[in-house]
């Protein structure tokens, strides 16, 4: 079973994205490199003159578009509000949970094109899926403000690398920051590339470990399914003699078939719950007595029953 660690490293990614916003705007790395390159000058007499080459711009008042307002994107958007930026967000699938925590200062837009139009900064925070692969390409980049900055700390495939490379060389983009060293990105100009370090903090690793343990414990105790492709179901801790979890197709009369088999065994059902998700469904129930092995086998033989698990 795959344990989802959604959100455990979101703060770590958010902080690095904010760091890239500053580094992409102020010439910090470039000015530090200048100092190193001129280390033989004991007085650094030319430093005051050299700083003119590294004049940047402030984030305050600039427009930033945030694509994806989930665990990371919502945090980035809220932090940018605190920095005084003009924040716009695009996420047609935003959850109620993340909508509640999103600052009211974040202005939501209905299309990707409306989000990109006129942005000084664009940062992406969506998973790699069929409808997001290559979603940032020439069409979107052309809508950004001149000398815009693009940041990708989500997945490498979301960005059309050829389009970004061309935009950097043509001056449409002033800078590109990403977390993915690919054969193409490492040769792009004006690019900061980190070693897939978005979640690279001790705190994030500890959070991931805690969440993995918590989800595994929850699953073993309650048969709670956390996979996205399966129904999410919670019956609480089992307090009766036995708990049975049934994974099956989402078809008519499945509950009736289950209860009919339990009736033959004179099993008294204390609690029962059912939840479906698309073609799949999940049913859990507690009984006052342990079921006979023949009853468990009969449950398994129900047409469209995928799996029957005895929790206790």
């Amino acid at each position: 079973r795959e344990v989802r660690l959604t959100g455990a490293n979101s703060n770590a990614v958010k902080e690095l994205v904010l760091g890239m916003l500053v580094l992409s705007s102020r010439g910090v790395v470039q000015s530090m490199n200048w100092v190193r390159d001129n280390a033989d000058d004991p007085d650094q007499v030319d430093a005051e003159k050299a700083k003119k080459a590294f004049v940047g711009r402030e984030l305050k008042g600039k427009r930033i578009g945030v694509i994806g307002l989930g665990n990371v994107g919502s945090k980035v958007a809220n932090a940018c509000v605190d920095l005084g930026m003009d924040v716009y967000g695009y996420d047609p699938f935003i959850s109620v949970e993340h909508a509640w925590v999103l600052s009211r200062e974040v202005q939501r837009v209905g299309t990707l094109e409306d989000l990109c139009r006129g942005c000084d900064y664009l940062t992406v925070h969506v998973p790699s899926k069929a409808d997001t692969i290559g979603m940032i390409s020439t069409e979107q980049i052309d809508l950004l403000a001149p000398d815009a900055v693009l940041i990708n700390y989500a997945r490498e495939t979301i960005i059309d690398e050829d389009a970004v490379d061309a935009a950097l060389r043509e001056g449409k983009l002033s800078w590109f920051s990403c977390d993915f060293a690919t054969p193409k990105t490492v040769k792009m100009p004006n690019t900061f590339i980190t070693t897939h370090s978005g979640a690279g903090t001790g705190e994030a690793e500890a959070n991931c470990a805690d969440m993995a343990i918590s989800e595994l414990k929850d699953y073993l105790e309650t048969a709670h399914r956390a996979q996205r492709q399966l129904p999410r179901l919670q019956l609480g801790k089992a307090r009766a003699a036995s708990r049975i979890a049934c994974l099956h197709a989402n078809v008519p009369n499945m509950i009736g078939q289950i209860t009919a088999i339990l009736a033959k065994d004179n099993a008294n059902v204390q609690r029962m719950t059912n939840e479906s998700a698309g073609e799949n469904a999940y049913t859990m129930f507690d009984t006052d007595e342990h079921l006979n092995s023949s009853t468990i086998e009969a449950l398994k033989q129900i047409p469209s029953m995928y799996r029957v698990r005895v929790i206790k």
Side-chain angles (χ1 to χ4, degrees):
R1 175 179 181 261
E2 178 185 357
V3 177
R4 291 190 298 113
L5 303 179
T6 305
N9 55 24
S10 59
N11 186 73
V13 179
K14 176 206 75 174
E15 290 186 357
L16 193 51
V17 169
L18 295 178
M20 290 301 108
L21 282 173
V22 175
L23 294 180
S24 300
S25 304
R26 296 294 301 274
V28 175
V29 174
Q30 298 90 319
S31 64
M32 290 192 296
N33 288 339
W34 184 94
V35 173
R36 291 292 185 185
D37 292 340
N38 292 271
D40 292 335
D41 182 351
D43 299 318
Q44 295 286 328
V45 293
D46 293 328
E48 286 297 317
K49 295 180 180 179
K51 72 179 183 181
K52 295 179 181 179
F54 310 117
V55 173
R57 61 183 181 188
E58 297 183 13
L59 298 175
K60 184 178 180 180
K62 302 301 187 296
R63 174 168 175 156
I64 183 170
V66 182
I67 302 175
L69 298 170
N71 287 298
V72 176
S74 60
K75 289 182 174 64
V76 170
N78 288 345
C80 289
V81 168
D82 293 336
L83 290 173
M85 302 186 76
D86 189 15
V87 185
Y88 290 78
Y90 169 72
D91 190 338
F93 307 107
I94 186 172
S95 68
V96 174
E97 174 189 0
H98 293 123
W100 273 109
V101 301
L102 197 64
S103 169
R104 65 179 64 185
E105 300 299 320
V106 177
Q107 304 175 61
R108 291 186 58 197
V109 295
T111 68
L112 180 59
E113 288 69 28
D114 287 341
L115 178 84
C116 294
R117 190 170 289 109
C119 275
D120 302 293
Y121 298 84
L122 185 68
T123 179
V124 294
H125 302 283
V126 294
S128 179
K129 301 188 301 181
D131 59 344
T132 63
I133 292 176
M135 71 184 300
I136 304 303
S137 190
T138 302
E139 179 182 355
Q140 291 72 37
I141 294 172
D142 286 347
L143 292 172
L144 301 175
D147 298 323
V149 170
L150 175 62
I151 298 177
N152 177 23
Y153 271 73
R155 291 291 184 270
E156 62 184 85
T157 55
I158 297 168
I159 304 297
D160 181 336
E161 292 185 341
D162 289 333
V164 173
D165 185 44
L168 288 167
R169 297 182 188 279
E170 295 168 7
K172 294 180 181 179
L173 289 175
S174 63
W175 213 267
F176 175 50
S177 296
C178 72
D179 206 19
F180 313 102
T182 70
K184 174 68 75 172
T185 59
V186 296
K187 296 180 181 179
M188 292 181 184
N190 294 357
T191 303
F192 287 136
I193 308 172
T194 49
T195 54
H196 210 169
S197 304
T201 68
E203 293 86 348
E205 292 177 0
N207 289 341
C208 288
D210 289 344
M211 186 173 290
I213 293 171
S214 177
E215 287 209 7
L216 182 58
K217 179 175 181 289
D218 184 46
Y219 176 65
L220 292 173
E221 290 182 346
T222 70
H224 169 58
R225 307 294 294 192
Q227 298 103 315
R228 293 189 178 187
Q229 70 270 27
L230 296 177
R232 295 182 60 86
L233 192 62
Q234 185 66 271
L235 193 59
K237 291 186 177 182
R239 296 183 176 85
S242 182
R243 167 166 293 181
I244 310 297
C246 301
L247 176 63
H248 52 82
N250 183 19
V251 295
N253 197 37
M254 183 60 74
I255 300 298
Q257 295 181 79
I258 292 174
T259 54
I261 291 173
L262 296 178
K264 290 181 180 180
D265 193 21
N266 291 320
N268 184 41
V269 177
Q270 188 180 100
R271 292 188 297 174
M272 174 179 282
T273 186
N274 170 273
E275 190 70 40
S276 64
E279 297 178 351
N280 301 316
Y282 207 47
T283 300
M284 282 196 298
F285 55 88
D286 294 343
T287 58
D288 289 338
E289 302 292 339
H290 291 287
L291 299 182
N292 295 326
S293 59
S294 59
T295 302
I296 299 298
E297 186 60 30
L299 291 172
K300 293 180 179 179
Q301 297 305 314
I302 295 175
S304 299
M305 179 69 74
Y306 301 144
R307 184 178 179 184
V308 176
R309 179 171 175 237
V310 179
I311 307 300
K312 62 176 291 189

